[in-house]
Amino acid sequence: MKILLAAINAKYIHSNLGVYSLKAYADRGRSFEERQRCPVEIGEYTINHQMDRILRDIYKRKPDFVGFSCYIWNIQYVRQLVRNLAKVLPETVIWLGGPEVSYDGEKILEEEPAAAGVMLGEGEETFLELIQYYGRAGLSPEKGEEAGKTLENEGIMARIQGIAFRAVSGEIKTTQKRPLLPMDQIPFPYKDLRGMENRILYYESSRGCPYSCSYCLSSIEKTVRFRGLPLVKRELDFFLKNRARQVKFVDRTFNCDKEHCLEIWKYILDHDNGVTNFHFEISADLINDKQLDIMRQMRPGLIQLEIGVQTANPAAVREIRRIMDLERLEQTVGKIREYGNIHQHLDLIAGLPFEDMDSFRLSFDRVYRMRPDQLQLGFLKVLKGSHMAEMAEEYGLNFHQEPPYEVLSTKWLDYGQILELKAVEEMTEVYYNSGQFRFTLREMEKGWQSPYEMFRALGDYYGEQGLMELNHSRLARYEILWDFLGQQDPDRRETYRDLLMVDLYLRENIKSRPGFARDQSRYKTWIRDFFMEEYKDPRYLKGYDGYDNRQMSKMAHVEAMRDGRLVLFDYRNRDPLSHNAKAVEVGRLGNG
């Protein structure tokens, strides 16, 4: 019997920890002969693949059993595949699992008659028992469709905990909930990194969450199970020795246990390979001085932090059953920012109860002023099985009935206001989170009452000019911002011209200059002589040995500002966090 675990990821750079964990557990739990007789394969795809391409690949593999990993971002694709796969491989047994099907397995089976069953909740041991069931004597691949179709076999399947399945009568049955596994019993999911060199590798040192945030499914378990630190350290060694580019911990609140967190951070600090980046989702208000001291010593880029603020409205915080000391969080984010070595990503959620427009503006402005490297403005998703879904009527929550179940309106926000927030989200993503307009934005902030109003005005301009739905090149974003600022703040137009050019050249030594760029012809001789002197006796351009002055002039750039300052952009020496070129003033020639 041939078994396929199919994962449809959001992007190519992602990997699916779930299917790798299921395979690792199943391989360890079976004998060599069983693994040979019933091998488990993994097929990873993305939602950007054409559906026929995925269907073709699965068909050519000719599996007898297919398990699909289901999430809000892929469930619609999975449903289509299940329906079509049953037509082209009618003998293949199809099972579903994952958070998007775990809380209404019976309903899913009613809607998807081609699926044989649903794994509910944590799947490692369930999957092992299922494939042992299908592979046992008398249930050969050719008879896969008959598995569970006799009263005797139905009785065997009914003893598998944590599933919903079809009985002989056609009735859909749900078995007893499966107890949770100790984390150390779950094997490490990776054997080698062949084919995964440029992808994000996901890892978990704990499961569950101690908090009860009403919008989150992790709160349902209400317990946290930790992987033993000796085991975690051995597994971290695998990533470090293989020089993985990024390892993303999927622990819901990584630092909920201070000692567990501290020991792991100490270990990656002491064993840093100079390459691997580790991503953690944390509660910043729980960080203590010992952890801060460890973070302060880290190589720039060794770790990055995702911090869920969600809202600065105390009433909303209480209503969603979140525990947070916002002032302490703010202080911690500020300290980490001062270290200059750790990327911080702060999250807000629009559409929470008791959050109206005035409240959300205040939340946005407060988080923006914390100066995170990224400010993620997300929208409430009303997930099946969450407390938020139970409270939807009371909150006047209207949301999409199809995944990802995103909010449309609440008692406190109408749909028009949600659309305004969508425009602010887009502008924040393009102009703030890209990190490409830092100097220009700092100057722009002086011209508006608040950061929120600045991005709202920019979003309005995009809408009025019919720009919102178009794809724009990086250079076009600068041109649009130049035109916008010319309308909004013409008195500082020349200041913005300089700042836009600084932001532009910090990232890239562009060959095609924007239309607003200042004429540099009067500085040509000075710039040529500068590179000649640097070739003979380098003062600013270190690390260019072996290159002549012409090559150096192509590998670095000098830009003249309005006041005659000449700024050098050195692309061989970049900031390890922002990746911006090193910029330094190298001369002044009077007013430009």
Side-chain angles (χ1 to χ4, degrees):
M1 186 170 84
K2 190 175 180 181
I3 301 156
L4 176 66
L5 288 169
I8 305 175
N9 303 324
K11 296 179 181 179
Y12 169 76
I13 61 169
H14 297 168
S15 57
N16 188 296
L17 177 60
V19 295
Y20 283 96
S21 188
L22 293 184
K23 174 175 166 54
Y25 193 89
D27 285 349
R28 190 184 68 178
R30 297 180 299 157
S31 67
F32 175 79
E33 291 75 16
E34 286 179 305
R35 295 197 300 272
Q36 292 295 107
R37 191 170 63 250
C38 302
V40 177
E41 295 181 2
I42 288 176
E44 285 196 273
Y45 315 95
T46 78
I47 59 176
N48 296 316
H49 282 132
Q50 291 185 347
M51 194 65 61
D52 283 346
R53 178 179 170 184
I54 303 175
L55 183 65
R56 181 172 65 246
D57 184 75
I58 295 175
Y59 176 81
K60 287 183 175 180
R61 291 173 182 254
K62 292 290 192 293
D64 301 293
F65 177 107
V66 178
F68 284 101
S69 181
C70 303
Y71 301 86
I72 56 174
W73 65 79
N74 73 7
I75 185 63
Q76 291 175 308
Y77 295 85
V78 170
R79 283 177 180 258
Q80 291 181 50
L81 278 169
V82 167
R83 295 163 189 171
N84 291 325
L85 190 62
K87 296 173 183 176
V88 298
L89 289 175
E91 304 295 317
T92 297
V93 176
I94 300 171
W95 276 73
L96 308 176
E100 185 55 22
V101 296
S102 279
Y103 298 98
D104 54 359
E106 293 188 7
K107 182 181 178 184
I108 292 291
L109 290 178
E110 289 171 0
E111 295 173 351
E112 302 300 336
V118 175
M119 294 188 292
L120 309 174
E122 195 167 86
E124 282 89 357
E125 189 139 12
T126 303
F127 175 66
L128 171 60
E129 291 184 13
L130 273 177
I131 62 175
Q132 287 176 328
Y133 165 80
Y134 281 110
R136 81 177 62 246
L139 298 178
S140 61
E142 306 82 53
K143 297 180 180 179
E145 67 170 352
E146 298 176 13
K149 295 291 182 68
T150 69
L151 288 174
E152 179 183 357
N153 291 334
E154 180 184 316
I156 298 171
M157 180 169 280
R159 291 196 291 272
I160 299 176
Q161 296 176 322
I163 62 171
F165 71 101
R166 300 181 195 282
V168 175
S169 63
E171 179 187 359
I172 297 170
K173 294 185 176 181
T174 299
T175 65
Q176 183 179 352
K177 185 177 179 180
R178 181 175 294 279
L180 300 174
L181 284 171
M183 285 293 290
D184 286 5
Q185 289 186 19
I186 300 169
F188 186 60
Y190 305 107
K191 289 186 176 179
D192 58 62
L193 298 185
R194 286 176 295 180
M196 303 182 75
E197 292 84 358
N198 297 314
R199 298 170 69 186
I200 299 171
L201 301 174
Y202 294 89
Y203 178 75
E204 56 186 354
S205 71
S206 67
R207 284 185 182 177
C209 184
Y211 304 112
S212 300
C213 302
S214 63
Y215 52 81
C216 181
L217 294 181
S218 295
S219 63
I220 294 174
E221 193 174 308
K222 294 184 176 62
T223 59
V224 187
R225 292 165 289 149
F226 293 94
R227 208 162 177 78
L229 284 169
L231 185 56
V232 171
K233 291 174 182 178
R234 289 200 299 272
E235 292 166 350
L236 291 178
D237 280 338
F238 172 87
F239 296 125
L240 293 164
K241 288 176 181 176
N242 282 278
R243 301 176 73 80
R245 292 185 62 183
Q246 185 177 59
V247 177
K248 187 169 184 177
F249 277 64
V250 298
D251 304 43
R252 297 309 302 163
T253 306
F254 172 74
N255 63 324
C256 63
D257 183 300
K258 291 180 172 60
E259 289 305 313
H260 180 85
C261 166
L262 185 64
E263 282 299 310
I264 290 175
W265 282 353
K266 279 182 180 178
Y267 194 81
I268 64 175
L269 172 64
D270 292 340
H271 297 80
D272 180 17
N273 61 12
V275 174
T276 304
N277 164 264
F278 294 92
H279 176 110
F280 302 94
E281 185 174 334
I282 69 164
S283 289
D285 52 323
L286 299 181
I287 293 292
N288 60 26
D289 289 342
K290 288 183 180 179
Q291 293 163 337
L292 285 170
D293 185 58
I294 291 293
M295 285 191 276
R296 182 180 52 79
Q297 301 174 55
M298 289 177 171
R299 162 181 61 86
L302 175 57
I303 72 169
Q304 63 188 48
L305 303 177
E306 183 174 347
I307 300 167
V309 183
Q310 320 310 16
T311 177
N313 179 343
V317 171
R318 286 192 299 271
E319 186 63 21
I320 62 177
R321 307 191 300 195
R322 185 169 175 78
I323 299 171
M324 178 177 64
D325 184 336
L326 185 58
E327 290 187 3
R328 180 164 180 158
L329 181 150
E330 199 165 21
Q331 292 168 4
T332 300
V333 167
K335 288 179 182 178
I336 297 171
R337 185 181 66 247
E338 290 172 3
Y339 299 158
N341 61 345
I342 296 173
H343 175 101
Q344 295 186 95
H345 173 143
L346 271 58
D347 294 336
L348 282 172
I349 297 178
L352 295 175
F354 296 104
E355 188 92 274
D356 60 15
M357 283 299 285
D358 289 338
S359 165
F360 191 83
R361 289 187 195 105
L362 292 173
S363 291
F364 183 93
D365 291 341
R366 186 162 183 179
V367 173
Y368 184 89
R369 290 183 176 120
M370 295 182 200
R371 301 292 177 191
D373 296 283
Q374 287 199 337
L375 194 171
Q376 184 68 49
L377 197 174
F379 290 80
L380 178 67
K381 294 172 177 59
V382 186
L383 303 178
K384 292 181 287 186
S386 69
H387 180 68
M388 188 65 69
E390 296 173 3
M391 298 295 290
E393 185 174 353
E394 182 172 334
Y395 296 152
L397 260 176
N398 292 305
F399 56 95
H400 288 279
Q401 295 305 303
E402 298 299 323
Y405 315 112
E406 196 169 273
V407 65
L408 293 167
S409 63
T410 72
K411 276 184 179 180
W412 303 272
L413 289 173
D414 62 34
Y415 183 56
Q417 292 169 322
I418 292 288
L419 292 178
E420 177 181 314
L421 295 176
K422 286 282 185 181
V424 170
E425 175 203 24
E426 177 70 13
M427 295 300 97
T428 303
E429 188 65 26
V430 168
Y431 287 101
Y432 185 83
N433 290 344
S434 68
Q436 296 173 10
F437 301 87
R438 292 290 172 88
F439 287 94
T440 307
L441 287 176
R442 284 294 183 98
E443 187 66 22
M444 286 173 62
E445 290 166 19
K446 301 173 183 177
W448 275 268
Q449 290 183 340
S450 75
Y452 179 91
E453 290 303 321
M454 178 179 74
F455 289 107
R456 184 196 59 77
L458 186 53
D460 288 347
Y461 179 79
Y462 262 72
E464 292 161 3
Q465 300 298 316
L467 300 168
M468 194 62 84
E469 304 303 323
L470 303 177
N471 290 322
H472 301 285
S473 68
R474 177 170 172 255
L475 196 59
R477 297 290 190 184
Y478 285 85
E479 300 273 13
I480 293 168
L481 188 56
W482 168 252
D483 292 339
F484 167 74
L485 291 169
Q487 286 188 18
Q488 295 287 322
D489 201 357
D491 293 342
R492 291 191 290 164
R493 194 172 178 86
E494 293 308 311
T495 298
Y496 286 128
R497 192 195 306 268
D498 281 349
L499 293 173
L500 283 167
M501 293 305 294
V502 168
D503 279 329
L504 187 57
Y505 276 107
L506 278 171
R507 281 299 176 92
E508 181 184 355
N509 190 3
I510 59 169
K511 305 306 177 188
S512 299
R513 290 167 64 81
F516 60 81
R518 203 173 269 111
D519 181 21
Q520 302 282 291
S521 57
R522 64 173 291 196
Y523 303 100
K524 270 188 174 181
T525 300
W526 189 97
I527 293 171
R528 183 193 63 204
D529 292 345
F530 169 81
F531 281 107
M532 180 62 76
E533 289 300 318
E534 284 298 302
Y535 169 64
K536 295 177 181 177
D537 182 21
R539 294 175 57 201
Y540 300 101
L541 293 174
K542 307 294 185 181
Y544 286 77
D545 298 340
Y547 297 102
D548 63 27
N549 58 298
R550 290 187 178 182
Q551 291 171 317
M552 292 168 72
S553 69
K554 293 178 180 179
M555 297 167 68
H557 175 75
V558 174
E559 182 75 15
M561 301 292 117
R562 176 181 56 168
D563 59 4
R565 287 178 300 119
L566 292 126
V567 179
L568 170 69
F569 297 89
D570 179 1
Y571 298 101
R572 288 178 70 84
N573 292 285
R574 291 180 179 269
D575 182 281
L577 283 188
S578 69
H579 304 293
N580 284 342
K582 181 180 179 181
V584 59
E585 184 180 330
V586 292
R588 185 183 291 265
L589 293 180
N591 293 334

